[in-house]
Amino acid sequence: MEIADLEKFLLIAQTNSLQKAAITLNVTPSALSKSLKRLEASLQVSLFDRVGKSLRLNQHGEQLQPKARELVELAHQTKRALNRSSTALICRIAAPAILQYRWLSPISRCLRQQLAASTLEVDTLFEQQALQRLKQGEVHLALVTGTQLKSLPDYIMRQPLGSLTMQTAISRNHPLAQALQDRRSNKGISQAANAEEVLKYPFATPHISPFCGEERGQGCDGWNDPLLPRKIGWVVNDYAVLGQLVRSGQAIAYLPDFLLREWQLQQVEMTTSPAPAKEEIYLLYHQRASDWLHQVVNKLCD
C-alpha cells in the first residue's frame, strides 16, 4: 500500500470520477485505474461501486477514507520534519464570504506566527458545504454559525471565535443621517429614530442567507419584516455590491456590526425595534488534526 496510491484514492473519492481525477492530476484515466487496482489488490477488497458513469465509495471505501487521510497527512508531516527545505505547508479553510471578511485575517496571522512558511488556501462556501468539506477531510478548518453545531459528529471539534450582531446601517450622507444630526443639536430630544422615520426609506437586502446559502427571500438578513415591514429598493446577494449601495447614501441595510466598522457606516438606533439578530461564530476542525493545526487554534484563542 503506497502513499501515492492513497492520495489518488482520496481524489477519486472526492470527484467520484476517474476522468475528473485524472484531469486534476494531469495523468491518464488508465494510469489512475491501475493505481486504484493496485491499492485494492494490496487490501484485497474493492473500494468503489460503479453507478452509471460515476464511482461511489462502498463500505470498504468509506472505512478506508478517514484512515487514508490520516496516513497521507502523517507522511507529509514526516517529510516536513525531516526535510525543512520541502514544500511549505498548505492550510485549507472553507467558509461563507461574510465570515471570511471578519475572521480570515486573525486566522491567517496566527497561522503565520506558528508556521512562517505556510500558505492559506480559502474556499468560499456556504456553511453546510464548508462543513461537508471538513468532514471529508478536504479542508483543515471551517467557519460556521452556531446553527450548524447540532449536527456535528463527535470527531469535529469546535472553538468559539465570538459573535456578530446585525445593525441597521446608513452612510453619513444618507438623508436620514442628516435628520438625526439635526436632532442631536436639540437638547432634550431623543436621538433615536422611530420606525416610521426609518421605514420610509428603501432598504437593500439579500435574497439568500449569507451564512447557509438558502433562498429565504425578504428577511433572510434577520430583519423582522412581519413586525416592521420594509420598502425593498434593491435585492442584492453580493455584499460588496450591497455595501456600495449603502455607502453611496442610497440604501439602508441590516448588516453585521463589523461591516459597519469596516465601511465606516452609522448605526441607526430605533425607538421601536425587536431584539437585534445575533449569531455566534465557531471554528471547526478534526479532533485528530495535526499538531500544527492545534497550535494555530490555541494561538487564536489566547
Side-chain angles (χ1 to χ4, degrees):
M1 184 170 58
E2 300 291 335
I3 293 297
D5 290 336
L6 289 174
E7 290 179 317
K8 294 181 177 67
F9 158 76
L10 289 172
L11 186 58
I12 296 169
Q14 177 184 336
T15 59
N16 296 321
S17 167
L18 283 173
Q19 286 74 20
K20 291 179 181 178
I23 291 172
T24 301
L25 294 173
N26 195 26
V27 299
T28 64
S30 175
L32 207 53
S33 178
K34 289 179 181 178
S35 171
L36 178 58
K37 288 178 180 178
R38 185 165 56 243
L39 179 61
E40 290 178 326
S42 69
L43 296 172
Q44 299 183 350
V45 295
S46 63
L47 299 170
F48 291 91
D49 292 329
R50 185 171 292 278
V51 181
K53 295 183 179 180
S54 299
L55 295 175
R56 293 287 186 272
L57 287 173
N58 60 22
Q59 180 181 358
H60 299 301
E62 289 176 350
Q63 290 176 342
L64 176 62
Q65 191 178 36
K67 298 182 183 299
R69 285 196 295 263
E70 292 178 17
L71 289 170
V72 168
E73 178 61 27
L74 179 60
H76 290 171
Q77 229 179 344
T78 304
K79 182 179 178 181
R80 287 193 297 270
L82 296 176
N83 182 4
R84 296 298 181 183
S85 63
S86 63
T87 305
L89 181 143
I90 297 176
C91 178
R92 298 179 176 86
I93 182 170
I98 198 166
L99 298 185
Q100 291 179 34
Y101 198 98
R102 167 63 181 85
W103 278 280
L104 193 61
S105 179
I107 292 172
S108 176
R109 188 179 301 111
C110 289
L111 177 64
R112 290 301 179 88
Q113 288 173 351
Q114 296 300 119
L115 299 160
S118 61
T119 300
L120 183 62
E121 290 187 357
V122 184
D123 288 340
T124 302
L125 299 168
F126 291 116
E127 293 175 300
Q128 293 180 357
Q129 296 166 305
L131 180 55
Q132 186 62 29
R133 288 281 185 91
L134 181 65
K135 289 177 179 177
Q136 293 172 350
E138 297 169 20
V139 297
H140 299 96
L141 299 166
L143 279 174
V144 301
T145 62
T147 58
Q148 300 299 315
L149 298 186
K150 58 186 177 182
S151 60
L152 283 187
D154 293 339
Y155 61 85
I156 298 295
M157 307 301 291
R158 67 193 74 177
Q159 177 60 52
L161 293 181
S163 62
L164 63 85
T165 301
M166 302 298 289
Q167 297 176 344
T168 308
I170 56 174
S171 72
R172 303 193 185 278
N173 59 344
H174 189 279
L176 180 58
Q178 184 59 53
L180 295 177
Q181 180 62 39
D182 293 342
R183 182 176 301 171
R184 290 190 187 97
S185 61
N186 296 319
K187 295 182 179 180
I189 298 179
S190 172
Q191 297 179 9
N194 61 50
E196 185 176 292
E197 287 179 285
V198 175
L199 297 177
K200 72 179 182 181
Y201 295 103
F203 277 68
T205 70
H207 196 254
I208 64 174
S209 166
F211 306 113
C212 69
E214 292 181 5
E215 189 170 339
R216 296 177 176 175
Q218 187 171 326
C220 72
D221 54 2
W223 183 275
N224 191 331
D225 277 289
L227 180 64
L228 298 170
R230 295 174 290 179
K231 182 195 306 182
I232 305 301
W234 304 266
V235 177
V236 184
N237 290 317
D238 187 324
Y239 267 69
V241 178
L242 191 151
Q244 184 56 38
L245 288 169
V246 180
R247 284 180 287 177
S248 68
Q250 299 180 68
I252 302 179
Y254 200 47
L255 299 172
D257 47 9
F258 60 82
L259 289 182
L260 273 72
R261 294 191 296 270
E262 291 291 332
W263 292 342
Q264 297 183 336
L265 300 175
Q266 177 178 334
Q267 180 186 1
V268 179
E269 299 283 356
M270 296 178 61
T271 55
T272 303
S273 64
K278 186 174 182 179
E279 296 284 356
E280 300 295 328
I281 310 303
Y282 292 84
L283 183 67
L284 307 182
Y285 58 101
H286 273 269
Q287 184 179 35
R288 295 183 180 179
S290 303
D291 290 343
W292 64 263
L293 188 57
H294 284 281
Q295 292 169 7
V296 170
V297 174
N298 291 337
K299 183 68 176 178
L300 189 63
C301 302
D302 286 345

